[in-house]
Amino acid sequence: MMHSRVVRSFLAAAVLPVAVLSIDNVPHQLCHFGECYWDLDGGSRLSVSGSHTSISDITAASGWTILDCDSFENGQKIRLACHDPQKGCGHLYLNGAEHTVVRLPHECGTRPFGIVAREWDHEDQSIPQSKRSLLTRRDGSTPVVKGIRLTTNHSEIDPMRHGAVSFFVQAATSPDGAQALLPLASEAHLSGGPLLGRDLLTVINETNHFDTNNTSGPKPFNVKSDNVSLFNKTFPCPQTGVRPEFTGEVNVGVQGKINGTVDYAVLVAGTIVPPNVTHFSLFLGLDAAIDGTLTLDATLTGSITTGKRPIVPVTGIPGLAIEGILAIGPYVTVYAEADAILSSSIELDVDLSYGISGAQLFFPPTARPNGSFVPGDSGLKLSANPKVTTHGRLEAHLIPTVSIGINLLDGFAETAISLDLDTSAALDLDLSTSSAISASNSTDSNATATPAQWAGCVDVSTGFSVDAVADADLLEFISAGESLSLFGKTFDLYQRCWGSTANADRRRADLGVFRRSNDTMAPSSLSYFVEKVRSKYSRVNGCTGAGPGNTVPIVDQKVSGSAVKPH
């Protein structure tokens, strides 16, 4: 897959509703001992660790009073003063303030911490009236107002000053997702400070383990498209013989909807200084119902290829973000495509209905994906014109896609993982009737045929495949194009042969128009047909021999999902 698609996918995710997790700074907690942690809403947690000088604190708990800062800017200058040296203001200066990771108060920026690029005695020594009572000493003097410039540019940070600063993040939408990732934590190690070399599972258990009772729950989604025309073309057809002049048309339409819930959890470990990711695990769970309808109305002959195209706008699913560390943006879209070769008047309506429950997968692939994937009830209507021999082949896809964009350490690494829920329908049709055989000698433009008069075969099948694929490399953890197959089956929806072909030993119509030299296509695959059609542009430029209308039903029935059989 091209990198441009990766960028587009992730940029699409970036504009979706991503909840910045609320950070619970424990008021009395001091980040003076080489480690600090933040409890986040939804049961998530961020922890950092390093040497005792690498992590410090500029909150009130550490004796600092903020005089000026920006609530939204992260790379900013802050004015501050120490109101109580006994609480540990001086800790910031151990081995120098520059290159120190500092815990920030809520009112400064949108991140839980910042990195000090520069510290100085500020040129503005004024103290706001509202802060004077706190900062004025008994002798009437006030402390020196300091200036700190925070940076989000990792190239400004010298990791040799204080040593590496490690981090790990646990975030999940449900207890199931959180628990699913815990076994993978034993494979991760932190590299810095008191946690050096400790396995991540031990760290999680020792640092007030993940709060599975405070998760927000799986995220619901509901996406629907009205009927969308994938292909539509009209063509003037002149009068010939008993066939009147008419305007031929081919129209391929599709509509669909998907609703369900997505459950995800992530475990990330690495270093903030220098920026690196040493462990990444993602859990994705899905429950969904897919319903769609494919329609075909054709009174022209030729080939059709529509290409894969979106039929609904990108729809966001609530995600999460810990700014500067992790951003996850799930989203849903629906694609469709169709390929066909037609030689007569055909009308087709076929439903695509599938249910997914308990689907689970991991990236990187560390456990076998699983889930239940079952077909639903499907309506099927097929009509053809009995006046001419009818050949036709169609393959169409309705593909809801659930994706999750991932950004680590401000773009240090990013990818998007897409779960393609590919539903498809295929038609093989090769029919003639006694009316068709005698059409050239008939002047009866209203001739029809009963089922007993058909000769040939009809085969309608549906398919469902579920595959997850990564759009881009994510360091050494995920490779671009890496995929997991969760499910893949084709189901016989309707098969019937009439006349002399009824006893023939074949699963699908042996259509001469689709032959390759002296061979026919493999009966269980449409791959050659699709390759053949897609190698050319759509060429709909022929008129049916019998003209418009006068189609008669071949099949009109509802097929129970429990009755369809895979092959």
Side-chain angles (χ1 to χ4, degrees):
M1 296 187 179
M2 299 180 63
H3 183 68
S4 60
R5 179 188 167 192
V6 178
V7 175
R8 288 195 300 271
S9 297
F10 192 75
L11 288 179
V15 301
L16 302 176
V18 176
V20 178
L21 296 180
S22 174
I23 300 166
D24 180 17
N25 273 333
V26 181
H28 61 272
Q29 173 191 323
L30 289 177
C31 299
H32 289 173
F33 308 103
E35 58 184 311
C36 200
Y37 69 87
W38 294 261
D39 287 328
L40 312 171
D41 58 5
S44 302
R45 163 163 289 195
L46 165 65
S47 299
V48 297
S49 67
S51 70
H52 75 287
T53 68
S54 64
I55 302 169
S56 194
D57 199 318
I58 58 171
T59 68
S62 190
W64 289 100
T65 294
I66 303 299
L67 304 179
D68 291 303
C69 71
D70 191 299
S71 299
F72 303 101
E73 184 65 37
N74 292 308
Q76 63 169 302
K77 294 179 181 178
I78 296 176
R79 285 201 319 133
L80 71 168
C82 178
H83 68 262
D84 189 349
Q86 293 185 356
K87 290 186 176 181
C89 298
H91 182 270
L92 175 65
Y93 298 96
L94 296 180
N95 202 27
E98 286 83 3
H99 315 290
T100 301
V101 174
V102 291
R103 181 171 68 140
L104 298 175
H106 284 298
E107 65 267 27
C108 297
T110 60
R111 300 185 177 188
F113 60 84
I115 303 177
V116 179
R118 179 175 171 240
E119 183 274 340
W120 72 101
D121 290 348
H122 205 281
E123 56 274 13
D124 180 3
Q125 290 291 310
S126 65
I127 296 176
Q129 183 67 37
S130 61
K131 304 290 179 68
R132 286 182 183 176
S133 60
L134 179 63
L135 292 171
T136 301
R137 298 167 181 150
R138 291 181 179 180
D139 61 2
S141 64
T142 56
V144 175
V145 176
K146 297 290 187 177
I148 286 179
R149 182 174 70 83
L150 302 179
T151 183
T152 59
N153 184 355
H154 292 284
S155 65
E156 294 188 58
I157 306 305
D158 180 8
M160 302 302 293
R161 173 69 69 88
H162 299 289
V165 177
S166 294
F167 76 92
F168 76 85
V169 175
Q170 304 159 269
T173 54
S174 75
D176 289 344
Q179 295 293 345
L181 282 184
L182 287 182
L184 304 181
S186 61
E187 302 174 8
H189 291 75
L190 296 178
S191 53
L195 304 179
L196 178 64
R198 307 286 297 280
D199 73 82
L200 193 53
L201 184 59
T202 300
V203 172
I204 292 172
N205 291 331
E206 290 181 354
T207 55
N208 190 23
H209 64 82
F210 190 91
D211 185 2
T212 58
N213 296 318
N214 193 30
T215 52
S216 57
K219 305 302 180 182
F221 60 89
N222 191 339
V223 178
K224 180 180 180 181
S225 76
D226 295 326
N227 190 58
V228 176
S229 180
L230 295 180
F231 184 91
N232 183 269
K233 184 172 183 178
T234 58
F235 192 81
C237 295
Q239 178 182 358
T240 176
V242 297
R243 188 191 72 185
E245 178 183 1
F246 71 98
T247 299
E249 181 180 17
V250 173
N251 184 66
V252 180
V254 65
Q255 62 181 355
K257 63 179 180 179
I258 175 173
N259 61 80
T261 59
V262 62
D263 188 12
Y264 53 88
V266 66
L267 183 65
V268 185
T271 54
I272 301 168
V273 181
N276 192 27
V277 178
T278 57
H279 179 87
F280 174 83
S281 298
L282 173 72
F283 164 81
L284 181 62
L286 180 69
D287 294 282
I290 303 170
D291 291 287
T293 301
L294 166 73
T295 61
L296 168 67
D297 292 292
T299 54
L300 291 173
T301 64
S303 62
I304 297 169
T305 182
T306 68
K308 185 178 179 180
R309 63 181 68 175
I311 63 172
V312 298
V314 173
T315 301
I317 301 172
L320 61 85
I322 305 171
E323 288 209 35
I325 296 291
L326 167 72
I328 291 183
Y331 54 102
V332 180
T333 190
V334 181
Y335 299 91
E337 62 180 319
D339 299 278
I341 296 178
L342 307 168
S343 66
S344 186
S345 298
I346 298 174
E347 297 173 2
L348 172 68
D349 283 39
V350 58
D351 294 336
L352 302 168
S353 178
Y354 293 92
I356 303 171
S357 62
Q360 296 184 344
L361 62 109
F362 296 87
F363 265 91
T366 53
R368 185 172 182 175
N370 56 63
S372 173
F373 309 88
V374 295
D377 298 342
S378 296
L380 173 62
K381 295 181 180 179
L382 175 64
S383 300
N385 196 313
K387 302 176 187 178
V388 293
T389 298
T390 300
H391 297 295
R393 190 161 215 186
L394 168 74
E395 181 182 358
H397 296 257
L398 178 69
I399 313 170
T401 299
V402 179
S403 302
I404 185 165
I406 302 160
N407 184 308
L408 304 177
L409 297 179
D410 273 338
F412 177 76
E414 63 181 17
T415 190
I417 295 172
S418 298
L419 189 62
D420 292 332
L421 313 174
D422 188 348
T423 68
S424 61
L427 167 70
D428 282 353
L429 180 66
D430 186 14
L431 289 175
S432 63
T433 68
S434 57
S435 300
I437 296 171
S438 61
S440 60
N441 298 321
S442 173
T443 59
D444 181 5
S445 61
N446 296 313
T448 62
T450 64
Q453 293 174 287
W454 290 112
C457 291
V458 173
D459 186 347
V460 181
S461 61
T462 59
F464 189 35
S465 64
V466 180
D467 298 285
V469 62
D471 283 356
D473 293 341
L474 189 72
L475 304 176
E476 71 270 23
F477 308 110
I478 299 174
S479 300
E482 186 172 3
S483 63
L484 288 174
S485 178
L486 281 75
F487 183 81
K489 286 185 180 179
T490 301
F491 301 91
D492 291 324
L493 197 61
Y494 181 85
Q495 286 183 317
R496 187 170 179 183
C497 291
W498 296 270
S500 60
T501 59
N503 296 321
D505 182 16
R506 67 201 214 179
R507 289 181 58 84
R508 300 186 182 275
D510 182 14
L511 308 180
V513 70
F514 303 113
R515 288 183 182 272
R516 291 179 294 172
S517 61
N518 296 321
D519 191 18
T520 58
M521 291 171 294
S524 61
S525 173
L526 292 171
S527 59
Y528 171 70
F529 156 68
V530 173
E531 179 183 352
K532 179 94 172 168
V533 174
R534 292 182 183 174
S535 66
K536 303 177 181 180
Y537 296 105
S538 296
R539 297 177 180 178
V540 178
N541 54 12
C543 300
T544 60
N550 299 317
T551 59
V552 299
I554 298 174
V555 58
D556 182 354
Q557 66 183 50
K558 192 80 170 181
V559 182
S560 170
S562 60
V564 296
K565 303 299 181 184
H567 69 258

